Amino acid sequence: MSGIKSCPKCQSSDIDTDGARGEAVCTNCGHVLEECVIVSEVQFSESAGGQSSVVGQFVPESGLSSFRSGPGYSGFSKDSREVTLSNGRRVIQHMAGLLRLVAHHVDVAQRFFQQAVQRNFIQGRKTHTVVAVCLYIVCRKQKTSHMLIDFAEVLQMDVYELGSVFLKFTKLLHIKLDPIDPSLYIHRFASMLEFGDKAQQVALTALRIVARMNRDWMITGRRPAGICGAGLLISSKMHNFKRTEAQIAQVVRICDGTLRKRLTEFDETQVSDMTVEEFHEAFKGGSSSDAAAGFRAANDQWGWDSSCAPPALKNNIQAEKDKEARL
């Protein structure tokens, strides 16, 4: 309390102060001089049974937590929300360390987790699951090379179950995320396939293939792992590396059937008819960043005529032709 001696309205010195509630009221005119004052000192009161209890409330950085005192309590104790936030911070730091995320990612994830607690999204769900969702949202926004399956492996849970929680949380907070860019994962997967000194060259060629896949409508509506797998398999063969479909599928974490389907779709594009020399000549002078930019570009930077229709459209057209042929 600030120790006010007189009322500024009526100049009366009859001031009633309540330290527990942090209020000061003029008893003459009823004017409230101070309200909800935060004090640093700790006061104690004695009950009728002779038990001592703490007066006031403790205000931490993240919210409001009450004092508790008496039999069975040795001092301050946090409410359930403060305990949840504290546990969440600890889990975020631990999981971020496992996935090699930096301090900035941890800070942003903690703010997302605090919103989850405030909106009661944590109720009925494990803290680790919500923490993984918060960190994955940060990774998507910061465009890191982390995938949802990485978090699922850390938690040892089904990736589709984790994805369901992720979709519900983004819908709750109205978070809009850009489509995943497959080029973010090319260098990560290339380093895992042990290409040695040619890893950078293989990754660059794979980036160029992915850029062309985008112009041929192969990216839209498909998960990035399959696109990366097909690009890396083709690139490895172009650089005379013997990598099997099973090896690629194991690294990018997809099944062999998905990889073969992406390869079949690529085989139907115009670029598949090019020789290795023609392909490199078309991309002559392009850098890794140029190839990644080619994925995002709306126009064809490499001078090709993009006449390939989306695979889904071609499948529907073929289905209609087959139906007409049967009639």
Side-chain angles (χ1 to χ4, degrees):
M1 304 295 288
S2 60
I4 300 176
K5 297 182 178 180
S6 62
C7 175
K9 297 292 184 180
C10 64
Q11 306 302 322
S12 175
S13 59
D14 296 330
I15 308 298
D16 182 22
T17 60
D18 188 340
R21 299 172 60 184
E23 293 181 350
V25 181
C26 175
T27 58
N28 184 39
C29 65
H31 177 66
V32 179
L33 283 73
E34 290 184 339
E35 186 177 19
C36 299
V37 177
I38 299 177
V39 294
S40 58
E41 67 268 12
V42 179
Q43 299 180 358
F44 296 87
S45 63
E46 187 175 353
S47 64
Q51 297 177 348
S52 298
S53 62
V54 180
V55 176
Q57 290 180 317
F58 170 66
V59 183
E61 180 182 0
S62 58
L64 187 64
S65 180
S66 300
F67 282 138
R68 300 179 71 178
S69 179
Y73 299 103
S74 59
F76 307 128
S77 66
K78 301 179 180 179
D79 59 14
S80 60
R81 177 164 294 188
E82 181 65 20
V83 171
T84 302
L85 291 173
S86 178
N87 292 336
R89 284 191 291 269
R90 185 176 65 254
V91 174
I92 288 173
Q93 293 173 353
H94 175 68
M95 192 174 299
L98 294 176
L99 295 170
R100 297 181 180 179
L101 296 173
V102 299
H104 171 68
H105 297 150
V106 173
D107 295 337
V108 179
Q110 287 179 356
R111 290 193 287 270
F112 277 121
F113 185 78
Q114 187 170 359
Q115 294 185 45
V117 174
Q118 292 173 351
R119 294 173 179 261
N120 294 325
F121 187 79
I122 194 74
Q123 292 186 356
R125 298 181 175 90
K126 295 182 179 179
T127 301
H128 288 71
T129 303
V130 179
V131 164
V133 168
C134 295
L135 283 171
Y136 179 64
I137 292 175
V138 176
C139 292
R140 286 284 298 273
K141 284 183 170 293
Q142 300 295 327
K143 299 186 184 302
T144 68
S145 60
H146 295 83
M147 305 174 69
L148 187 63
I149 196 171
D150 298 329
F151 294 90
E153 287 190 350
V154 171
L155 299 178
Q156 294 296 307
M157 66 178 299
D158 184 13
V159 65
Y160 293 101
E161 181 181 350
L162 182 60
S164 176
V165 179
F166 163 72
L167 292 176
K168 291 177 181 177
F169 188 57
T170 54
K171 183 178 180 180
L172 176 67
L173 298 183
H174 303 285
I175 299 175
K176 293 184 179 180
L177 299 172
D178 296 331
I180 301 177
D181 183 352
S183 63
L184 295 173
Y185 308 106
I186 291 294
H187 284 89
R188 169 187 168 181
F189 292 145
S191 63
M192 299 170 63
L193 289 168
E194 300 179 353
F195 292 121
D197 296 337
K198 292 188 176 182
Q200 182 66 21
Q201 299 178 19
V202 175
L204 176 59
T205 302
L207 283 171
R208 292 167 174 171
I209 294 172
V210 170
R212 180 56 193 179
M213 286 179 176
N214 183 51
R215 299 303 304 145
D216 288 326
W217 294 89
M218 286 185 58
I219 303 276
T220 306
R222 286 164 176 78
R223 295 193 177 106
I227 300 297
C228 293
L232 284 169
L233 181 60
I234 298 170
S235 177
S236 64
K237 293 184 180 300
M238 292 173 64
H239 290 274
N240 300 318
F241 285 100
K242 295 181 179 180
R243 297 293 184 270
T244 64
E245 294 180 2
Q247 289 175 319
I248 299 293
Q250 183 178 7
V251 169
V252 301
R253 300 171 184 174
I254 58 175
C255 66
D256 297 353
T258 301
L259 180 58
R260 285 193 294 270
K261 192 170 184 180
R262 298 290 89 82
L263 293 172
T264 301
E265 293 172 353
F266 181 78
D267 188 55
E268 297 176 356
T269 63
Q270 295 178 354
V271 70
S272 63
D273 296 330
M274 286 184 171
T275 64
V276 175
E277 292 74 16
E278 290 174 343
F279 182 86
H280 287 305
E281 183 65 25
F283 278 99
K284 187 175 181 180
S287 63
S288 176
S289 59
D290 294 333
F295 167 79
R296 307 180 186 94
N299 59 339
D300 194 349
Q301 298 186 23
W302 314 111
W304 284 321
D305 178 21
S306 181
S307 59
C308 182
L313 177 59
K314 292 192 298 183
N315 293 337
N316 289 337
I317 294 175
Q318 185 63 38
E320 292 178 358
K321 291 181 178 179
D322 295 341
K323 184 177 180 180
E324 292 176 357
R326 288 194 298 268
L327 295 177

